[in-house]
């Protein structure tokens, strides 16, 4: 599958006096966004500084996604553009190196170098801590490393400096779990990310504390199946996600907590309790359902029925009546009839969602559903997709309209486009704009909403930061 590093002790490239620049482009999910940051942090110790565009970069890393055919193909068109950039830099005597990381790297390995000779390095999702060493080896010709190593990559990845954390904003992702053992019949993730592994709680807590100390106010715990989390706790017991949320909510400065992506099968009592008892846990959940038809859910190997999904929604709403649900839905899975699709539309109406992502089923090589002969024609998929997207859009709009005239708590994170305008997020991640002093950034304040358009919610500040957020403000000033 790959060539392993010949020598684990191979030298990290020494930092050169003229700082080299690395540009990392992320595709796909939040896990890749997190990994891209950690790759940049790891390369910082080899003298690389992060830059926000490929022009002028000495190293370009594409952190890729393999989930749907179009996502994977994007990588090759981007590589074509980068080849031209690399060739013209070479004419000026400047060497640019190109690396492909992420799920396409993991799935296609050396096939990438065969298809696109401009690539110097292919690095799978579990090997980012080896980047400095792999780049050193790539001086002698293309290198491929897509092994699943035994060591814990998280412990070996570079850590961001406090100033780096601040430039990334007051909301941060923190990976707590990786991989998936569920093998839904349409999905590549179990093959590209490997088996489900939970990080030990102590290392997650230390990372959350570092983020909070540097000014982060909102953390989203992420994983391919984040609520399957079962890491070792500092007390030697296995911790659930609910327990971890409770611990992280106690960290000074953290005012909001989220987690994503959850699987309906992995909701447990500790998580329901977290939504009931921890004010920092936001009343919002991304809970992919994929289909509303029991027949299709079974063929997808989702391991739950439509009724079981509805039970999760109802149980959470009983605890938190303001709970908002978003979802992922696939249309045109092999064998999906008009009736199955109508079941999906009915489920979406029954929940209803506050927004959602709908996808045409995409055939992924190596997955069981790709072998089926009853594939659905593209025009049928697309017609269904448009109907579903229209319904989800309607639901998003009516959810937004419910905020009209309401007073909503907003965590402010940056200046807006207009002079004097500040922007933050509601509990449900809607962007909210007000005219306010910049000192409001990184605090939670109440806003009365008086306008809603396609850019989000607009309103006036009605409340200074509330008492329980004052501590966070003090920390920020310190
Ligand atoms: N672990 C998450 C999903 C990760 S993939 C879960 O189990 O829900 C993100 C989304 O991509 C999935 O929820 C699914 O809706 C979509 N997806 C995955 N494979 C796909 C495929 N072959 N075709 C179309 N959409 C797909
Ligand atoms: Fe893919 Fe299913 Fe695992 Fe989600 S649970 S990552 S959809 S195999
Ligand atoms: Fe894509 Fe890999 Fe994430 S396939 S969705 S980048 S886990």
């Amino acid at each position: 599958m790959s060539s392993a590093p010949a020598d684990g002790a191979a030298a990290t490239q020494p930092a050169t006096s003229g700082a080299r620049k690395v540009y990392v482009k992320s595709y796909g999910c939040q896990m890749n966004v997190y990994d891209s940051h950690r790759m940049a942090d790891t390369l910082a110790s080899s003298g690389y500084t992060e830059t926000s565009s490929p022009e002028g970069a000495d190293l370009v890393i594409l952190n890729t996604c393999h989930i749907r055919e179009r996502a994977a193909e994007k990588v090759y068109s981007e590589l074509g553009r980068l080849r031209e950039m690399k060739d013209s830099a070479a004419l000026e005597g400047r060497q640019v190196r190109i690396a492909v990381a992420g799920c396409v790297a993991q799935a296609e390995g050396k096939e990438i170098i065969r298809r696109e000779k401009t690539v110097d390095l292919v690095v799978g999702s579990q090997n980012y801590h080896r980047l400095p060493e792999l780049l050193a080896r790539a001086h002698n010709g293309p290198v491929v490393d897509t092994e699943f190593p035994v060591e814990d990559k998280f412990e070996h990845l570079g850590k961001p400096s406090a100033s780096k954390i601040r430039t990334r904003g007051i909301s941060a992702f923190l990976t707590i779990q990786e991989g998936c053992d569920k093998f839904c019949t349409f999905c590549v993730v179990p093959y590209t990310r490997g088996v489900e592994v939970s990080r030990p709680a102590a290392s997650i807590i230390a990372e959350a504390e570092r983020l909070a100390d540097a000014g982060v106010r909102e953390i989203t715990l992420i994983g391919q199946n984040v609520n399957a989390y079962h890491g070792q706790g500092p007390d030697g017991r296995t911790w659930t996600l609910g327990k971890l949320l409770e611990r992280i909510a106690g960290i000074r400065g953290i005012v909001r907590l989220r987690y994503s992506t959850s699987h309906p099968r992995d909701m447990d009592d500790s998580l329901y309790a977290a939504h009931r008892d921890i004010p920092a846990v936001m009343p919002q959940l991304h809970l992919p359902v994929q289909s509303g038809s029991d027949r299709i859910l079974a063929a997808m190997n989702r391991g739950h029925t439509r009724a079981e999904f509805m039970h999760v929604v109802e149980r959470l709403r009983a605890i938190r009546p303001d709970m908002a649900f978003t979802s992922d839905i696939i249309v045109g899975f092999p064998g999906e009839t008009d009736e199955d699709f109508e079941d999906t539309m009915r489920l979406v109406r029954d929940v209803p969602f506050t927004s959602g992502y709908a996808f045409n089923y995409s055939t992924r090589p190596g997955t069981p559903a790709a072998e089926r002969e009853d594939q659905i024609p593209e025009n049928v998929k697309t017609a269904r997709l448009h109907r579903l997207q229209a319904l989800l859009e309607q639901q998003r709009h009516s959810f937004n309209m419910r905020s009209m005239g309401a007073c909503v708590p907003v965590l402010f994170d940056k200046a807006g486009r207009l002079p004097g305008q500040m922007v933050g997020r509601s509990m449900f991640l809607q962007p909210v704009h007000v005219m306010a002093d910049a000192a409001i950034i990184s605090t939670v304040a109440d806003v009365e909403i008086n306008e809603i358009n396609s850019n989000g919610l607009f309103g006036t500040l009605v409340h200074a930061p509330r008492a329980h957020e004052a501590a966070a403000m003090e920390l920020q000033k310190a």
Side-chain angles (χ1 to χ4, degrees):
M1 197 164 164
S2 75
S3 56
D7 173 6
T12 296
Q13 257 178 276
T16 50
S17 46
R20 287 170 298 176
K21 290 189 197 153
V22 56
Y23 169 65
V24 193
K25 180 165 182 177
S26 263
Y27 300 82
C29 63
Q30 297 160 342
M31 312 281 296
N32 269 10
V33 175
Y34 176 88
D35 286 344
S36 292
H37 286 156
R38 298 299 301 269
M39 280 193 256
D41 298 337
T42 301
L43 288 165
S45 56
S46 310
Y48 281 96
T49 54
E50 206 176 346
T51 167
S52 57
S53 89
E55 284 76 35
D58 303 283
L59 170 63
V60 176
I61 303 177
L62 301 185
N63 194 10
T64 61
C65 174
H66 201 246
I67 202 82
R68 285 169 290 274
E69 190 177 358
R70 202 173 294 167
E73 280 308 314
K74 256 191 219 163
V75 176
Y76 288 100
S77 46
E78 184 66 26
L79 283 174
R81 278 192 291 275
L82 289 174
R83 184 192 337 111
E84 287 170 22
M85 197 190 84
K86 179 173 172 169
D87 292 349
S88 51
L91 291 177
E92 295 163 11
R94 203 165 57 79
Q95 192 198 24
V96 176
R97 293 200 296 162
I98 297 181
V100 178
C103 293
V104 176
Q106 194 66 54
E108 298 189 1
K110 57 178 182 291
E111 171 66 15
I112 297 174
I113 289 176
R114 202 191 57 75
R115 240 180 105 171
E116 190 45 90
K117 302 232 165 357
T118 198
V119 174
D120 300 282
L121 172 62
V122 175
V123 54
S125 50
Q126 301 307 316
N127 303 305
Y128 300 148
H129 55 299
R130 295 175 173 168
L131 265 173
E133 168 202 332
L134 294 171
L135 282 168
R137 282 177 48 212
H139 276 297
N140 307 321
V143 170
V144 178
D145 185 4
T146 53
E147 288 212 324
F148 286 107
V150 285
E151 70 267 21
D152 175 0
K153 101 177 156 184
F154 293 101
E155 289 313 306
H156 293 82
L157 284 166
K159 295 181 173 57
S161 63
S163 67
K164 192 78 222 177
I165 293 171
R166 272 193 287 276
T167 61
R168 290 174 185 160
I170 64 154
S171 293
F173 293 137
L174 202 176
T175 295
I176 64 165
Q177 174 279 341
E178 242 192 320
C180 180
D181 297 337
K182 295 208 164 49
F183 290 93
C184 299
T185 55
F186 52 82
C187 183
V188 292
V189 170
Y191 312 97
T192 63
R193 293 279 176 166
V195 295
E196 216 163 275
V197 178
S198 294
R199 291 176 66 184
S203 108
I204 296 167
I205 295 162
E207 190 168 332
E209 283 172 345
R210 216 170 33 249
L211 291 170
D213 285 347
V216 165
R217 296 290 164 260
E218 175 179 67
I219 294 181
T220 304
L221 303 179
I222 56 174
Q224 266 92 18
N225 283 286
V226 75
N227 56 344
Y229 179 80
H230 59 283
Q232 194 196 18
D235 53 6
R237 293 166 188 243
T238 300
W239 277 26
T240 59
L241 178 59
K243 175 95 178 141
L244 189 63
L245 285 166
E246 185 191 337
R247 175 64 181 81
I248 295 176
I251 295 174
R252 239 161 62 103
I254 297 302
V255 296
R256 284 186 174 182
L257 282 176
R258 304 177 187 276
Y259 56 94
S260 188
T261 297
S262 295
H263 195 293
R265 250 158 81 185
D266 293 320
M267 294 301 297
D268 71 358
D269 289 347
S270 81
L271 207 43
Y272 290 107
H275 278 283
R276 187 189 59 216
D277 302 334
I278 308 172
V281 175
M282 291 293 103
Q284 197 236 339
L285 184 61
H286 184 63
L287 196 64
V289 66
Q290 314 299 359
S291 171
S293 151
D294 281 341
R295 215 176 62 80
I296 298 295
L297 285 170
M300 287 174 162
N301 190 33
R302 288 292 288 177
H304 64 83
T305 60
R306 168 205 173 89
E308 283 160 344
F309 182 86
M310 289 307 292
H311 177 72
V312 173
V313 169
E314 281 153 17
R315 197 169 158 195
L316 276 165
R317 283 218 171 109
I319 292 168
R320 290 274 330 218
D322 58 346
M323 195 78 196
F325 294 90
T326 60
S327 201
D328 294 342
I329 299 165
I330 295 176
V331 301
F333 182 83
E336 185 187 73
T337 61
D338 284 340
E339 207 177 309
D340 292 319
F341 175 66
E342 293 309 328
D343 283 345
T344 297
M345 293 291 279
R346 249 192 306 278
L347 176 130
V348 173
R349 283 190 208 100
D350 286 352
V351 173
F353 295 107
T354 57
S355 76
Y357 300 93
F359 308 105
N360 273 352
Y361 167 74
S362 171
T363 320
R364 307 310 291 129
T367 60
E371 307 295 317
R372 288 181 54 157
E373 279 167 14
D374 47 357
Q375 301 289 330
I376 305 296
E378 285 304 313
N379 60 336
V380 175
K381 287 185 202 170
T382 301
R384 289 177 185 168
L385 182 74
H386 288 163
R387 278 189 56 206
L388 178 57
Q389 282 175 331
L391 175 59
L392 289 166
E393 180 49 32
Q394 221 176 43
Q395 295 190 335
R396 195 182 68 84
H397 182 72
S398 47
F399 177 70
N400 280 347
M401 291 315 287
R402 274 176 25 202
S403 304
M404 195 66 182
C407 186
V408 305
V410 175
L411 172 59
F412 285 93
D413 60 348
K414 60 181 183 205
R417 264 186 285 171
L418 302 177
Q421 189 185 50
M422 298 297 138
V423 189
R425 297 273 175 174
S426 71
M427 293 197 293
F428 311 108
L429 290 172
Q430 298 146 300
V432 182
H433 307 70
V434 293
M435 301 308 280
D437 193 278
I440 202 167
I441 289 177
S442 92
T443 70
V444 178
D446 286 344
V447 174
E448 191 177 309
I449 305 300
N450 48 36
E451 191 192 330
I452 295 171
N453 66 31
S454 57
N455 294 321
L457 316 182
F458 295 77
T460 49
L461 210 54
V462 291
H463 207 306
R466 290 172 296 176
H468 70 277
E469 271 88 42
M473 252 187 115
E474 287 311 311
L475 271 174
Q476 182 66 12
K477 285 180 194 148

